[in-house]
Amino acid sequence: MKIIDFLNTIIADANENEINDFLSVKEASIIAEIHKLWNEYKQNPVSGTAENQGDILVRKGEKEALAGNIDTGREVNNTGSDKDNIEKQLGTDDLKEPVNINEAEDIPLDIKINDASTIIIDMGIIQGGVKQEYNQKTREAAINKAFNKQIQSIHISLPNAKVNQEYNVEFDFEKLGIPEIGEIEFEGLGEIGLEYAAEEKRIKGMPTTAGDHKIKLLIKRKNWENGKRIFECNIILIINPDPRLLWNSIPTLTSISYYKPDSAEQFLEAGLNKVKFGKKCIVAASQRGRSHAHEGKPRDDDFAMFFDEQTGWYIMTVADGAGSAQFSRRGSQIACETVIEVCRVQLTAQDKDFDKHIENFYKEKEPKITEKRKMVGDSLYTIIGAAAFKAYKNIEKEAAGNNNPIKDYSTTLIISICKKFKFGWFVGAFWVGDGGIGIYDHKIQFLKVLGESDGGEYAGQTRFLTMPEVMQPNEIYRRLRFDIVKEDFTSVILMTDGITDPKFDTDANLNKIEKWNDLWADLSSEVNFDARNDETAGQLLKWLDFWSPGNHDDRTIAILY
Amino acid sequence: MRRLPVYLLLDTSGSMMGEPIEAVKNGVQVLISTLRQDPYALETAYLSVITFDSSARQVVPLTELSAFQMPDIQATGTTSLGEGLTLLANKVTAEVTKTTADVKGDWKPLVFIMTDGGPTDNWKKGLIDFQKQKFGMVVACAAGQAADVNVLKQITEVVVQLDTADSTTIKAFFKWVSASVSTGSKKIEDSGKDIAGISELPPPPPEVNIVV
């Protein structure tokens, strides 16, 4: 190599000031300087690290191209270079231009040089081509470092995944804004059920394991060959647990006071086989909510039903014991039991009279705002109104007998009594607290909600049967409802708020037929209402386990159909 | 579904640089990964992070826990607490669903404010915006002795103080925040009522002192 080529190399490596300095001295002193440096090098050839070469050797053009990206990065750890390639690249002209980052090579790990500029000069004089090789390798190291720095500086975040929920997100490395990336691969995806589909540029699969997973992105620069460096970038992929699996199901201890099973279901054939009783049956189910199951707490809801074969009355009731009241499971139970008891007795006692009032009311012309309506209402008051009041009294007695405040037994209550008449079905109801009750006819899209919810979502004023102010005669009367509907209605449904909250959301929605349509469609998809046997109750209980985020209260439903 | 919005209003001024800001970042991370294990919180709690230094910005909009990604937080500049409060108020207006006849709105938001100094802006203006909003519970945390407790007292009744703004103490605070969100999300599920007082939160750890 001629000295002038060597000088060109230096010029290419130096900045403007350095070049000016260099050119201002006479040639003889340059040669003297070179000799001095060579002697120093011979005495102390190996020290320092590869890292500090980068800054010095990246030439002006590259410095601009890689603006700010060069620092003392990690150790470069690859070996080998293609000699032809180097020679091709190291033509003098070529060296004056910024090196294309993609064509550069890696630097051997074991190169240890005290002062890079010194070495280059010496190599240039004494060892000719070797200098160029080192020059190339050190430049390559700098490029790698810059590349690595670039990779480390980008913030790659993958959308969070969820266990057992299909994951499929785009990962297009071309969008990272680093054109030098040639090829990528992931490490750590397989273990968690995912894969990188390179052709589709997507990460996909079914995540298996919850947690904050460290994924490695392995990056090869363009024109990567065996032996060249592979860059790594750590990415955290968060996989959320399946919320359903976070809920424990701890059985309620049977030793607690007022124990009741965590679920219950019942099917009553009722008047199914008798035309005069309307050929309907009743089914009910009650399931402890996930929030209770999670802590091994008992079910606070309850229900009861009865069919009187003498009179043909169908009686259904559901009750929701207040979550904050420690013995509410017993409150709801007493309420349901009492309702059946009182209704049976009263309906038997008043059977003929009550039937007559209902018939008279039916025969009356619209608008039915007369005495005849009141007669039905008054009877209803002495039947289900009395049942509700007796339920309250029985709970009060239970509380007093155990020296507990009645508040500890707080419960809501919904009652319905139904009977087939020649002219249609009579449905009477009493309702205190939240939840809901309605007569639903799918075919003619008829809905009648029998009362108003005391949901109190504006004022937080939920009402309970156990509140003395609710158990006043006019308050009880105010909560009574009745109607006469066509024979082939779809169902009468009583629900606690464990169902109305997720299925209706607001009180206003309880009056929307679309919501009832959705409910009935949902129910029918899991419950075979045509079968009308014991299995129906099991299916209904299973349906109660439906998933609705944030809604994990006890659920109870009773259906006449 | 009724969401429980949780807003973290964090001081990222220059004085937080170093250990405190790292502890805060770590605290948020731990908060998230803890709450993700809690079925109540995972389903109902939504989290937003607002930072304030020379200006205020919402670095994470109200996001469900399962989708939350850790923001990059740097400590620099002054302490524009007022701007932070105004931004918080605006975001609550925009992000928290109000209850209507057809939709049950979100629960009232929980807010955790953390600062290590006194405000450098017109914070009273921010306070006025802030007070127009309804919150379930606002906890202000004075991190270290330089924080202005008197200012915080005007923002909320519930002010807690950390003796020092070191990593252990800040970590303890965020653990308590995490426990509070857990308790809160369970409470609303069980009782169907908003969170209304510090008595409904778990007792703070020894590092976190309630300022009376």
Side-chain angles (χ1 to χ4, degrees):
Chain A
M1 176 189 260
K2 289 174 185 170
I3 187 80
I4 189 66
D5 292 336
F6 164 61
L7 290 175
N8 276 334
T9 312
I10 295 174
I11 289 165
D13 280 335
N15 66 33
E16 216 163 48
N17 288 340
E18 285 169 328
I19 293 166
N20 289 337
D21 287 346
F22 191 80
L23 295 177
S24 68
V25 297
K26 291 175 185 164
E27 192 180 321
S29 57
I30 296 172
I31 292 168
E33 183 67 19
I34 290 168
H35 277 283
K36 189 177 148 226
L37 291 169
W38 173 238
N39 287 329
E40 279 172 16
Y41 172 68
K42 276 193 296 186
Q43 282 159 27
N44 186 17
V46 178
S47 66
T49 63
E51 265 83 3
N52 54 24
Q53 299 166 47
D55 266 339
I56 297 154
L57 288 175
V58 172
R59 293 169 304 160
K60 205 179 167 197
E62 288 168 3
K63 274 186 178 165
E64 280 159 4
L66 302 170
N69 280 331
I70 297 158
D71 71 347
T72 53
R74 62 183 64 176
E75 209 158 336
V76 182
N77 60 2
N78 242 313
T79 56
S81 57
D82 184 327
K83 196 152 184 299
D84 294 343
N85 200 17
I86 288 172
E87 278 174 5
K88 195 182 118 220
Q89 286 178 38
L90 288 187
T92 310
D93 290 339
D94 189 20
L95 279 172
K96 285 174 186 165
E97 299 296 321
V99 169
N100 182 340
I101 222 166
N102 299 317
E103 292 168 1
E105 296 287 333
D106 288 324
I107 186 166
L109 176 65
D110 56 354
I111 290 186
K112 306 237 188 240
I113 306 164
N114 192 17
D115 178 314
S117 59
T118 306
I119 296 303
I120 295 304
I121 290 165
D122 288 337
M123 291 305 185
I125 299 292
I126 308 302
Q127 295 179 314
V130 180
K131 171 244 110 190
Q132 290 187 331
E133 192 173 324
Y134 276 120
N135 185 13
Q136 175 60 15
K137 284 173 181 170
T138 49
R139 177 164 7 93
E140 177 63 15
I143 294 164
N144 270 345
K145 238 186 294 175
F147 181 68
N148 190 44
K149 175 81 189 202
Q150 238 182 332
I151 287 169
Q152 302 309 324
S153 70
I154 48 170
H155 182 66
I156 300 174
S157 61
L158 297 171
N160 299 348
K162 203 173 270 182
V163 168
N164 295 335
Q165 191 174 305
E166 181 104 17
Y167 191 73
N168 191 338
V169 300
E170 184 186 47
F171 189 87
D172 185 357
F173 64 81
E174 285 171 12
K175 291 184 179 167
L176 292 175
I178 305 179
E180 295 79 30
I181 298 177
E183 221 183 295
I184 60 158
E185 237 181 286
F186 284 92
E187 205 176 275
L189 284 181
E191 295 92 310
I192 52 174
L194 299 174
E195 57 158 356
Y196 172 63
E199 324 76 55
E200 301 169 54
K201 296 178 175 167
R202 299 189 84 82
I203 298 173
K204 53 188 204 175
M206 191 67 85
T208 52
T209 321
D212 296 9
H213 299 284
K214 274 189 190 134
I215 307 296
K216 261 187 194 155
L217 172 61
L218 305 176
I219 300 174
K220 295 169 179 171
R221 274 172 47 195
K222 277 188 177 152
N223 301 322
W224 185 87
E225 293 165 6
N226 223 356
K228 282 197 194 176
R229 183 172 169 191
I230 296 171
F231 298 84
E232 286 180 6
C233 182
N234 290 318
I235 304 173
I236 301 284
L237 174 62
I238 295 167
I239 299 184
N240 286 289
D242 182 344
R244 295 166 204 234
L245 301 180
L246 287 180
W247 294 102
N248 298 322
S249 183
I250 304 169
T252 305
L253 290 176
T254 51
S255 55
I256 62 163
S257 57
Y258 303 134
Y259 172 80
K260 78 165 79 156
D262 294 334
S263 68
E265 83 262 31
Q266 192 181 1
F267 172 81
L268 282 187
E269 220 174 56
L272 185 60
N273 297 316
K274 292 217 169 102
V275 175
K276 68 168 174 170
F277 293 147
K279 299 189 81 171
K280 292 203 184 284
C281 53
I282 29 184
V283 64
S286 180
Q287 172 70 56
R288 183 174 63 148
R290 285 185 193 87
S291 58
H292 285 179
H294 191 60
E295 292 162 46
K297 287 186 178 168
R299 173 170 58 101
D300 293 332
D301 276 11
D302 222 314
F303 72 86
M305 44 200 211
F306 182 74
F307 174 70
D308 191 324
E309 291 181 5
Q310 254 57 64
T311 59
W313 280 100
Y314 297 72
I315 310 165
M316 297 182 285
T317 181
V318 300
D320 174 6
S324 54
Q326 58 170 327
F327 302 127
S328 65
R329 58 185 173 283
R330 182 61 182 149
S332 61
Q333 192 176 35
I334 293 172
C336 289
E337 286 168 358
T338 308
V339 163
I340 300 297
E341 200 182 291
V342 174
C343 287
R344 276 179 74 174
V345 173
Q346 290 299 318
L347 285 169
T348 305
Q350 303 190 31
D351 184 37
K352 293 282 170 328
D353 291 343
F354 191 30
D355 280 7
K356 200 170 287 169
H357 294 320
I358 293 169
E359 202 172 333
N360 289 341
F361 168 71
Y362 172 74
K363 285 176 181 162
E364 197 184 22
K365 291 195 176 76
E366 301 280 351
K368 301 179 180 190
I369 44 167
T370 61
E371 190 62 21
K372 285 173 184 141
R373 167 177 281 275
K374 192 169 177 302
M375 296 290 274
V376 177
D378 288 354
S379 294
L380 210 51
Y381 179 79
T382 60
I383 300 164
I384 53 179
F389 186 72
K390 189 71 194 303
Y392 164 72
K393 292 310 271 184
N394 280 352
I395 292 169
E396 191 182 47
K397 208 163 98 187
E398 176 75 19
N402 290 281
N403 285 319
N404 293 321
I406 189 169
K407 227 175 83 203
D408 286 355
Y409 294 78
S410 295
T411 183
T412 70
L413 184 64
I414 302 176
I415 307 170
S416 181
I417 54 169
C418 313
K419 184 173 174 174
K420 159 86 167 62
F421 288 82
K422 278 186 245 94
F423 43 83
W425 274 79
F426 173 87
V427 181
F430 171 86
W431 176 5
V432 57
D434 45 26
I437 172 172
I439 310 167
Y440 171 66
D441 192 328
H442 181 72
K443 289 178 292 298
I444 59 165
Q445 287 293 288
F446 168 83
L447 168 68
K448 171 126 185 179
V449 176
L450 295 169
E452 286 159 18
S453 171
D454 290 309
E457 62 193 54
Y458 294 102
Q461 49 174 7
T462 311
R463 291 281 182 258
F464 294 108
L465 175 77
T466 36
M467 290 174 166
E469 65 267 32
V470 174
M471 286 297 110
Q472 300 301 317
N474 48 1
E475 265 294 302
I476 294 175
Y477 203 98
R478 185 176 79 73
R479 292 166 185 277
L480 295 171
R481 295 287 187 284
F482 63 87
D483 202 0
I484 293 167
V485 292
K486 289 177 76 175
E487 189 165 343
D488 53 354
F489 65 91
T490 309
S491 54
V492 174
I493 304 180
L494 289 69
M495 300 166 275
T496 61
D497 69 336
I499 294 169
T500 51
D501 277 356
K503 296 299 182 191
F504 294 88
D505 198 28
T506 65
D507 292 346
N509 289 342
L510 203 56
N511 292 301
K512 290 186 182 155
I513 184 100
E514 314 87 69
K515 292 283 179 183
W516 287 79
N517 288 338
D518 293 347
L519 173 72
W520 191 253
D522 191 34
L523 272 165
S524 305
S525 70
E526 287 196 36
V527 182
N528 181 3
F529 286 108
D530 293 330
R532 295 172 185 252
N533 55 33
D534 284 339
E535 276 175 34
T536 316
Q539 291 164 357
L540 188 62
L541 181 64
K542 213 169 146 235
W543 174 81
L544 286 181
D545 201 32
F546 65 81
W547 181 260
S548 170
N551 291 304
H552 304 300
D553 201 357
D554 293 351
R555 295 170 180 163
T556 302
I557 188 167
I559 305 171
L560 167 77
Y561 67 107
Chain B
M1 194 201 68
R2 310 185 73 175
R3 307 177 300 172
L4 174 65
V6 180
Y7 284 87
L8 302 181
L9 185 57
L10 304 173
D11 184 343
T12 51
S13 62
S15 56
M16 291 287 287
M17 202 186 290
E19 188 181 339
I21 199 72
E22 290 310 315
V24 166
K25 281 198 263 189
N26 191 41
V28 175
Q29 197 106 53
V30 171
L31 170 82
I32 297 301
S33 50
T34 310
L35 291 180
R36 274 206 306 261
Q37 300 301 317
D38 175 350
Y40 293 96
L42 181 61
E43 288 178 24
T44 56
Y46 278 61
L47 197 67
S48 166
V49 180
I50 293 174
T51 61
F52 58 97
D53 38 66
S54 298
S55 62
R57 68 198 73 86
Q58 189 182 36
V59 291
V60 182
L62 197 63
T63 305
E64 66 176 306
L65 274 183
S66 63
F68 189 94
Q69 297 223 335
M70 190 60 199
D72 188 29
I73 300 173
Q74 311 279 345
T76 172
T78 55
T79 310
S80 304
L81 174 62
E83 207 183 303
L85 290 173
T86 300
L87 183 62
L88 169 65
N90 292 342
K91 291 300 173 187
V92 167
T93 308
E95 294 175 332
V96 178
T97 311
K98 307 269 181 302
T99 294
T100 66
D102 296 330
V103 186
K104 247 181 212 169
D106 294 325
W107 300 102
K108 286 183 194 152
L110 302 186
V111 179
F112 295 89
I113 303 170
M114 185 184 215
T115 180
D116 74 334
T120 53
D121 66 345
N122 180 5
W123 67 277
K124 291 217 164 167
K125 187 184 161 294
L127 183 63
I128 291 166
D129 294 333
F130 172 83
Q131 284 169 339
K132 285 177 193 153
Q133 291 297 329
K134 285 205 176 95
F135 296 100
M137 162 82 81
V138 179
V139 176
C141 174
Q145 300 301 325
D148 193 335
V149 174
N150 292 326
V151 167
L152 297 181
K153 268 284 174 194
Q154 293 178 62
I155 297 172
T156 174
E157 284 175 4
V158 186
V159 178
V160 296
Q161 185 154 35
L162 314 179
D163 288 335
T164 52
D166 60 36
S167 60
T168 317
T169 316
I170 290 176
K171 190 176 169 191
F173 172 72
F174 275 98
K175 272 182 116 168
W176 179 61
V177 172
S178 167
S180 299
V181 174
S182 269
T183 309
S185 52
K186 180 175 179 316
K187 195 183 160 53
I188 51 173
E189 160 88 38
D190 287 350
S191 72
K193 285 181 192 154
D194 279 303
I195 294 134
I198 192 166
S199 59
E200 296 175 9
L201 301 186
E207 293 91 340
V208 179
N209 311 308
I210 295 175
V211 180
V212 188

